[in-house]
Amino acid sequence: YTGEIHFIQQNFSAALEAYQQAIEIDPDFAPAYLGRAQANRAIESAAGSHRANRPDDIQETLQVFLKDIQQAVDLDPAYFPARLELAAGYIRLGEVELALEQLEAVEEILPASAQSLALRAQIEILQDQSAAALQSAQEALKKDKGYLPAYRILGRAALLNQKPGLAVEHLKTYLDYEQKDAEAWLWYGQALYGSSRYSQSVSALDTALGLDTELVEAYTTRGMVYIELEEGQKAVNDFLVVFHEQPKSFNSSLNLGRGLLAAGRFVAARDQLSASQRLAQADEELAQVFYHRALANEALEDHFSALKDWQALVDLPEQAANEMWLQAARSALRPTATPSKTPAPTK
């Protein structure tokens, strides 16, 4: 229990030493292995840059962590705190079936807790069951309003369910206490963007990137925000970071084209959007190319090329483009229509 005291006091090195001594005294004492795993994880987190939990970053650390947790479960299969930690570790690795196996072993015997419900919500997100994840996360918070991870996962689930206001509310609560979670700052920035709170979104995304400069998704979202703020060159700068990481991605190529369009660099925008067309694999992607390239061509007063893009847009299956784009295309294609001014780029 000395290790637990040190852990509560956040003296993780002393806790680790105490747990190690407990294992040397009694190698069959399951809680000591759980404690050693948690102490090692806390030390790693304190020493690191609080990067987002991407599998390529955490594989090695998690394998050490999971080895101790698995040992605790092997020694005491009814030691449910270890099973829940094991489930959490598998979730971070994206091992859905292994995580479910541990979670269901606990749920067969114990009533649902805030921790188990929050873990189930994370699993449901990995299974692309965002509506179920939102419900599980809300139930977790009802069980224990003081369980901080429930706010994090509820915010994430709300964002995936296109409820940015709900996401903002719960992620803000979480970040008031956990200020070094880069991934949570990313989600918070995305939720603020979805709520049209653009300046606050930039601030949140700046914080995320300050904690993890390799958080590519944050550059993408911040670029989108800069387009809304009519700061096109800043958008280009962010989209270039993503494009250099993902040069064969349709979205990264298209976004760069959109940024160039917003920056008034119309020739470069047209060229980039044409390159994006070669990467498109769906009618919806082609619709994005045709719409934005038509805007670039109109800005260049290349009305013939613009009309070709407008026509290509309306020739796609109707569901490929949103109604606003189709209305713009039909208006441009009317025989009596005069070339329209370039509309502001849309989300």
Side-chain angles (χ1 to χ4, degrees), residues 3-4 6-17 19 33-51 53 61-62 64-66 68-69 85 92 178 180:
E4 292 183 13
H6 286 309
F7 193 90
I8 292 170
Q9 295 173 338
Q10 297 190 3
N11 189 348
F12 302 124
S13 295
L16 180 61
E17 183 177 350
Y19 288 129
Y33 290 93
L34 174 60
R36 185 169 72 177
Q38 292 172 326
N40 271 319
R41 183 178 60 182
I43 291 169
E44 178 71 19
S45 177
S49 60
H50 304 281
R51 297 160 64 90
N53 294 336
T61 301
L62 268 180
V64 175
F65 173 77
L66 291 176
D68 267 347
I69 300 296
E85 284 285 0
R92 293 177 69 196
E178 291 288 345
K180 294 184 177 180

Side-chain angles (χ1 to χ4, degrees), residues 121-139:
Q122 292 179 66
I123 291 171
E124 287 164 342
I125 285 175
L126 291 174
Q127 294 174 321
D128 294 323
Q129 299 176 6
S130 57
L134 181 59
Q135 183 177 348
S136 295
Q138 289 172 325
E139 290 176 4

Side-chain angles (χ1 to χ4, degrees), residues 66-136:
L66 291 176
K67 183 177 179 181
D68 267 347
I69 300 296
Q70 186 63 62
Q71 181 68 14
V73 172
D74 290 343
L75 288 169
D76 185 356
Y79 186 36
F80 299 118
R83 284 194 178 274
L84 291 173
E85 284 285 0
L86 194 56
Y90 284 135
I91 287 169
R92 293 177 69 196
L93 285 173
E95 297 285 355
V96 174
E97 294 303 321
L98 292 174
L100 267 175
E101 180 182 336
Q102 297 302 323
L103 184 59
E104 289 172 353
V106 174
E107 291 177 339
E108 284 178 1
I109 297 174
L110 295 181
S113 65
Q115 184 180 4
S116 67
L117 286 165
L119 289 172
R120 179 161 290 282
Q122 292 179 66
I123 291 171
E124 287 164 342
I125 285 175
L126 291 174
Q127 294 174 321
D128 294 323
Q129 299 176 6
S130 57
L134 181 59
Q135 183 177 348
S136 295

Side-chain angles (χ1 to χ4, degrees), residues 244-265:
H244 288 150
E245 288 290 323
Q246 304 168 354
K248 296 183 179 180
S249 162
F250 170 79
N251 286 329
S252 66
S253 180
L254 178 84
N255 287 337
L256 180 55
R258 290 186 59 196
L260 291 163
L261 182 62
R265 297 167 60 181

Side-chain angles (χ1 to χ4, degrees), residues 28-253:
D28 295 330
F29 185 50
Y33 290 93
L34 174 60
R36 185 169 72 177
Q38 292 172 326
N40 271 319
R41 183 178 60 182
I43 291 169
E44 178 71 19
S45 177
S49 60
H50 304 281
R51 297 160 64 90
N53 294 336
R54 296 189 297 273
D56 57 335
D57 293 329
I58 62 176
Q59 282 278 0
E60 185 175 349
T61 301
L62 268 180
Q63 292 304 332
V64 175
F65 173 77
L66 291 176
K67 183 177 179 181
D68 267 347
I69 300 296
Q70 186 63 62
Q71 181 68 14
V73 172
D74 290 343
L75 288 169
D76 185 356
Y79 186 36
F80 299 118
R83 284 194 178 274
L84 291 173
E85 284 285 0
L86 194 56
Y90 284 135
I91 287 169
R92 293 177 69 196
L93 285 173
E95 297 285 355
V96 174
E97 294 303 321
L98 292 174
L100 267 175
E101 180 182 336
Q102 297 302 323
L103 184 59
E104 289 172 353
V106 174
E107 291 177 339
E108 284 178 1
I109 297 174
L110 295 181
S113 65
Q115 184 180 4
S116 67
L117 286 165
L119 289 172
R120 179 161 290 282
Q122 292 179 66
I123 291 171
E124 287 164 342
I125 285 175
L126 291 174
Q127 294 174 321
D128 294 323
Q129 299 176 6
S130 57
L134 181 59
Q135 183 177 348
S136 295
Q138 289 172 325
E139 290 176 4
L141 203 56
K142 287 179 183 178
K143 289 282 184 181
D144 185 356
K145 293 188 181 300
Y147 185 59
L148 201 56
Y151 290 89
R152 183 185 196 271
I153 193 63
L154 200 160
R156 175 60 171 155
L159 189 59
L160 292 172
N161 281 276
Q162 289 79 51
K163 297 178 183 294
L166 186 64
V168 166
E169 176 188 349
H170 289 90
L171 287 168
K172 184 181 185 304
T173 299
Y174 172 78
L175 289 165
D176 283 344
Y177 298 91
E178 291 288 345
Q179 298 176 1
K180 294 184 177 180
D181 186 333
E183 199 167 38
W185 279 109
L186 163 64
W187 299 337
Y188 186 48
Q190 291 174 328
L192 289 165
Y193 169 56
S195 302
S196 301
R197 295 161 65 177
Y198 301 128
S199 296
Q200 291 172 274
S201 177
V202 169
S203 178
L205 294 164
D206 286 347
T207 302
L209 288 166
L211 293 167
D212 183 357
T213 59
E214 297 180 14
L215 198 57
V216 173
E217 199 173 348
Y219 290 104
T220 297
T221 304
R222 194 172 65 180
M224 296 295 190
V225 179
Y226 282 139
I227 287 178
E228 296 298 329
L229 292 172
E230 298 183 356
E231 297 190 55
Q233 188 53 51
K234 288 184 178 180
V236 169
N237 295 341
D238 275 349
F239 291 143
L240 275 171
V241 174
V242 183
F243 184 70
H244 288 150
E245 288 290 323
Q246 304 168 354
K248 296 183 179 180
S249 162
F250 170 79
N251 286 329
S252 66
S253 180

